[in-house]
Amino acid sequence: MLRTTGRARAVALAAALLAASAPEAAGQAAVYGAGLQAWLGCWSADLVEARADAAPLVVCITPTASVDVADVLTLQGGRIVGREKLDATGRSHAIDAARCTGVRSARWSRDGRRLFVRSSGSCAGVPSSTSGLLVMSADGDWLDVEGISAGGGASVRVARYREVATPASLPSAARAALRAQALATRSVRVAAGAPVRAEDVLEAARTLDSAVVEAWILERAQRFEISETELSALVTAGLPTRVAEALGAAAEPQSYALARGEGYTAEMTH
C-alpha cells in the first residue's frame, strides 16, 4: 500500500512538472492551423548517396484547398513518376502499394509541429504495421522517421530531405502555388523547427513505437531543451528507458555510447 501511494505521488509530481512547462512551450512554438505549410516545396535526398547511373528523385509537396491535405509528386529526369496524397486530418485511408493492403492515418501533435503516422495491414501475406514521425529540423530539413514491424522482425529507417529548386517540369499551377506561399512556408518552417520540450517527447513516446522516438532523438536534427529534473519526471511518468537514454546521449554525447539500436538504419532516400 505504501509502495502504491509513493508511486502515485511520484506520478503526480511528474505530471505537475510537465504541466508547468507546457504553457510556455505552447506559447513559443505552437503552429495551430498551419497544417502542412512547412512541408510545401520540393525536396531531395543527399545527392552524394544517389546512384551515378540514375537521375535523382525530387519530391514536391504542393497545397490543396485544405491545409491538412497536400499533393505529393515524385519527379525523376524531368518526368512525374509518382502521385499521392498526404492527408494529416487523422482520417484512415486504404494503403496504395503493390501487394500490400491495410489502412494508414496521420495526425498532428498537440502543438501542430510534428506529424504522427501509423499504418496496419499486410504485405505479400505478412502482417505488418508502421509507426512514423515527420518533423522539421532546426536547419529547415525534413526528417522522416519510420519504424516497421513485420513477421516478428522490426527496423527503423531515417530519411533526411533538403529543399531544392522547383523543377521546371512541375505543372505550372503547382509552381505558382508554391511561389505564392513561399513567405508563409518559410515562416512556419522556422516555427516547426523550434526546440523540443519535455511534454513533446512524452506525447511522442505515448503515440509511437519507442524505437522511432529514439531514432528521432539520436539524429539530433532538433534541439531538445529538457532539464535533468524534467527528464526524471518523464521517466517517472513512464518514458521508455531507451528513449530516456537517447535524451541523455543527445545532451551529453561524450558520456554515452551512441551506437544505434539493433535494426536501426539511417538513409538519405525516400
Side-chain angles (χ1 to χ4, degrees), residues 65 97 118 164 169 180 184 194 226 244:
R118 299 198 72 98
V164 297
S169 54
I226 300 173

Side-chain angles (χ1 to χ4, degrees), residues 1-259:
M1 181 66 178
L2 290 175
R3 183 176 300 173
T4 302
T5 302
R7 172 66 177 174
R9 287 176 178 171
V11 171
L13 175 60
L17 286 169
L18 295 177
S21 63
E24 178 185 1
Q28 288 181 347
V31 287
Y32 304 123
L36 291 162
Q37 188 76 52
W39 279 264
L40 298 185
C42 293
W43 307 84
S44 182
D46 191 341
L47 297 182
V48 173
E49 299 293 329
R51 288 175 47 190
D53 60 345
L57 292 174
V58 175
V59 178
C60 292
I61 301 180
T62 62
T64 68
S66 169
V67 296
D68 288 316
V69 180
D71 289 321
V72 182
L73 302 178
T74 301
L75 298 89
Q76 185 174 38
R79 297 187 305 109
I80 296 175
V81 296
R83 296 176 183 266
E84 60 181 307
K85 290 280 188 185
L86 177 56
D87 187 331
T89 63
R91 294 190 296 259
S92 294
H93 294 274
I95 294 174
D96 181 16
R99 302 200 68 194
C100 291
T101 59
V103 293
R104 177 186 177 96
S105 64
R107 71 168 182 84
W108 292 109
S109 61
R110 58 172 185 79
D111 59 3
R113 290 169 53 211
R114 291 162 298 283
L115 188 62
F116 301 136
V117 184
R118 299 198 72 98
S119 74
S120 61
S122 66
C123 289
V126 178
S128 64
S129 63
T130 65
S131 169
L133 177 69
L134 275 64
V135 300
M136 278 293 156
S137 76
D139 296 327
D141 292 343
W142 161 21
L143 196 69
D144 186 346
V145 186
E146 183 181 58
I148 182 169
S149 299
S155 69
V156 177
R157 176 189 66 89
V158 179
R160 186 188 293 250
Y161 298 91
R162 296 182 174 90
E163 189 174 24
V164 297
T166 304
S169 54
L170 190 69
S172 58
R175 294 201 310 272
L178 292 179
R179 283 197 303 270
Q181 298 191 32
L183 178 58
T185 297
R186 289 197 301 271
S187 299
V188 176
R189 198 173 290 168
V190 170
V196 179
R197 310 289 180 146
E199 64 277 5
D200 301 328
V201 174
L202 186 60
E203 178 190 31
R206 288 173 170 172
T207 305
L208 305 170
D209 295 343
S210 58
V212 170
V213 182
E214 176 193 38
W216 165 43
I217 295 168
L218 290 179
E219 278 298 307
R220 297 193 294 280
Q222 294 182 286
R223 296 191 304 277
F224 288 80
E225 295 187 349
I226 300 173
S227 68
E228 290 185 11
T229 300
E230 288 173 327
L231 180 55
S232 296
L234 287 172
V235 173
T236 301
L239 190 73
T241 300
R242 67 188 300 172
V243 176
E245 290 179 348
L247 285 171
E252 298 184 60
Q254 300 305 317
S255 302
Y256 289 81
L258 291 182

